[in-house]
Amino acid sequence: MTSLALIEAAARRLHGHARETPLLNAPLLDAIARRRVFVKAECLQLTGSFKFRGGWSAISALPPEARSRGVLAFSSGNHAQGVALAAQRHGIAAVILMPADAPDVKIDNTRAYGAEVILYDRATEDRDALGATLTARRGLTLVKPYDDPQVIAGQGTIGLEIAAQTRALGITEAAVIACCGGGGLSSGIALALEPHAGFRLHTAEPAGFDDMARSLASGARETNPAATGSLCDAILTPTPGALTFPILRRLAGRGCVVTDDQALQAMSLAFAHLRIVLEPGGAVALAAALFAPDLPDTVIVTASGGNVDPAIFRTALDRFPA
Amino acid sequence: MTSLALIEAAARRLHGHARETPLLNAPLLDAIARRRVFVKAECLQLTGSFKFRGGWSAISALPPEARSRGVLAFSSGNHAQGVALAAQRHGIAAVILMPADAPDVKIDNTRAYGAEVILYDRATEDRDALGATLTARRGLTLVKPYDDPQVIAGQGTIGLEIAAQTRALGITEAAVIACCGGGGLSSGIALALEPHAGFRLHTAEPAGFDDMARSLASGARETNPAATGSLCDAILTPTPGALTFPILRRLAGRGCVVTDDQALQAMSLAFAHLRIVLEPGGAVALAAALFAPDLPDTVIVTASGGNVDPAIFRTALDRFPA
């Protein structure tokens, strides 16, 4: 089970390997939001998203014998790249199972981080069966994207950094908003900040894929009606994680929900005022800070990833000039 | 005269006011450059460029009585915004003289940082005479963009941070490339790194506006044949500074020169692999690290600013897909 102690241990293993990302702000962005907004820029993390932390945490926590046989992940996105680079820097094999119709750039980048990419046909092949065969035959360990205590602990190291960075700024009360797919990032941050009574964690999700917000409201794990249909592809998961949801149910405030257009507008404002590159799914927490009602005067958001198709980035700049 | 002691004093005055910017790198960018490239991301500085450091340094060094009367700057760009915010945060007036044909967004942003913007007609009005009248009548102190010991000291704090950040990474030998207009940034960094024998400072300029590179080669301050004609508008100055050139003549290696297209390509690669937003003038040092021959295995570059017209940014992404 993930605990503050497990997060602190992960932070020690990540030290000198993951980047301590800056907490950015901009007076002109605050003027637009009409509150103080601080942005934890995980788009500046190695591989362009916070997923490197969870990958490193999980791999570094494996017993040496299991680790030496290598790891497996299912992902077409940020988790794939995070696990691939973490494995490469541990000197072990990473096998990433990706759908054959994944964008070439994601396949190429994952391979460039040294991973063996195995493509499968979504329509005719069973991903889980393929994975089970690989783990059995080659002794690989599966690194799940969020429902793993050490992955949650790795993402939670962001919360420890937020605690230290806000302390330096004299901030003691704030809403902390995290982009939310399965809940690994948000549950880890919530645990890390649990000792700080002035901070309350909120999830942020795209409209139509707000399974976590509805689950927090109902008290049970709800599901989304559709699997695709938002630009925020990095954070579309069918339902909250089995490990992450109990943590968030205990610690999180209400979930925030933003539209795709609000996420695009947040990308454009981050371009103009923070000079960082965000992907839509990485911008939903900032969008909530900018556009959601009923937030306190100080809001800290994660900008969780910046691996964006240039065409989508251009759309954000064109449609929402800052 | 700027010295290491003056830079260290400026660093103490900037502490808690300017941002310590991260030193970024990316394995996939290193693969393209075929060397290790570390990027000092000053685009993440307050106001989006390193100019805030020099502005803060100069204002905070003024005698209290002079400071209370306010400051004046001539600039249509990054220096205007840096001086404006530094003055606002000191609680003093800033008057910025800008040409009436400056882009609206730059005028608006400078005003948003609390400055009084006075527009003049480039064709019919004498900027220096206007400035002299203002300083005399209102007791304002002129903050020059580079030829001022305290401005150079402020920019030099970047060199102190590079020294500390590279020490943490175990880097002892590298070329350090700084984007160069009048030479305030590069001369400050050169002085700050003078005690580090393994680091050698190089300037980077756009082709056709390589007055510093030619001056370093000839030993005398050369001038550019034209005043405009490069996308790198932030760093087009007619000739090296009177204070900055002797420092660079003593400490700098040969100057690097890159084309506008190489600067645009560096912007696109920084977008894709570092997830930061650079303006063309802020990308010339990275362009040199990527494309210049005869550099060592480890190169540290300043990414000096990110205040870019979205249309130019789109051009970079369109013409040079990463």
Side-chain angles (χ1 to χ4, degrees), chain B residues 34-46:
Chain B
R34 295 189 298 276
R35 52 176 69 103
R36 288 198 302 172
V37 179
F38 294 89
V39 177
K40 182 67 173 163
E42 279 295 303
C43 54
L44 304 177
Q45 187 53 264
L46 290 170

Side-chain angles (χ1 to χ4, degrees), chain A residues 19 22-28 43-48 81 85 89 109 112-113 271-277 306-308 310 313-314 317-318, chain B residues 19 22-28 43-48 81 85 89 109 112-113 271-277 306-308 310 313-314 317-318:
Chain A
R19 186 170 285 146
L23 191 66
L24 303 175
N25 70 312
L28 305 189
C43 54
L44 304 177
Q45 189 52 268
L46 290 170
T47 71
Q81 297 184 44
L85 182 63
R89 295 204 167 170
N109 280 353
Y113 291 126
F271 162 86
H273 296 298
L274 300 171
R275 295 95 191 168
I276 56 174
V277 175
N307 292 320
V308 57
F313 199 78
R314 280 193 300 262
L317 299 189
D318 289 345
Chain B
R19 187 170 283 145
L23 191 67
L24 303 175
N25 70 312
L28 304 188
C43 54
L44 304 177
Q45 187 53 264
L46 290 170
T47 71
Q81 296 184 43
L85 183 63
R89 296 206 166 170
N109 280 352
Y113 291 126
F271 162 87
H273 296 297
L274 299 171
R275 295 94 190 168
I276 57 175
V277 175
N307 291 320
V308 57
F313 199 78
R314 282 193 298 263
L317 300 188
D318 288 345

Side-chain angles (χ1 to χ4, degrees), chain A residues 262-281:
Chain A
Q262 289 174 327
L264 288 172
Q265 191 168 356
M267 289 166 61
S268 178
L269 290 167
F271 162 86
H273 296 298
L274 300 171
R275 295 95 191 168
I276 56 174
V277 175
L278 299 184
E279 61 190 282

Side-chain angles (χ1 to χ4, degrees), chain A residues 188-272:
Chain A
I189 292 175
L191 282 169
L193 293 177
E194 189 177 1
H196 302 266
F199 290 163
R200 177 76 162 210
L201 187 287
H202 299 265
T203 55
E205 294 168 294
F209 301 86
D210 58 346
D211 51 298
M212 186 65 81
R214 288 183 290 106
S215 301
L216 290 170
S218 75
R221 292 163 69 203
E222 307 289 343
T223 56
N224 289 323
T228 58
S230 164
L231 285 174
C232 305
D233 57 303
I235 57 170
L236 304 186
T237 43
T239 190
L243 296 187
T244 60
F245 181 60
I247 299 168
L248 288 167
R249 191 178 169 194
R250 184 167 67 82
L251 297 175
R254 70 178 168 72
C256 302
V257 182
V258 303
T259 65
D260 276 9
D261 273 1
Q262 289 174 327
L264 288 172
Q265 191 168 356
M267 289 166 61
S268 178
L269 290 167
F271 162 86

Side-chain angles (χ1 to χ4, degrees), chain B residues 124-163:
Chain B
T124 63
E125 292 186 276
D126 179 343
R127 185 189 75 168
D128 292 328
L130 275 174
T133 304
L134 280 165
T135 51
R137 189 186 306 153
R138 295 170 56 171
L140 303 172
T141 301
L142 176 65
V143 180
K144 294 183 187 176
Y146 48 86
D147 248 345
D148 175 312
Q150 291 294 4
V151 170
I152 296 170
Q155 325 305 26
T157 61
I158 294 170
L160 299 182
E161 292 177 15
I162 288 174

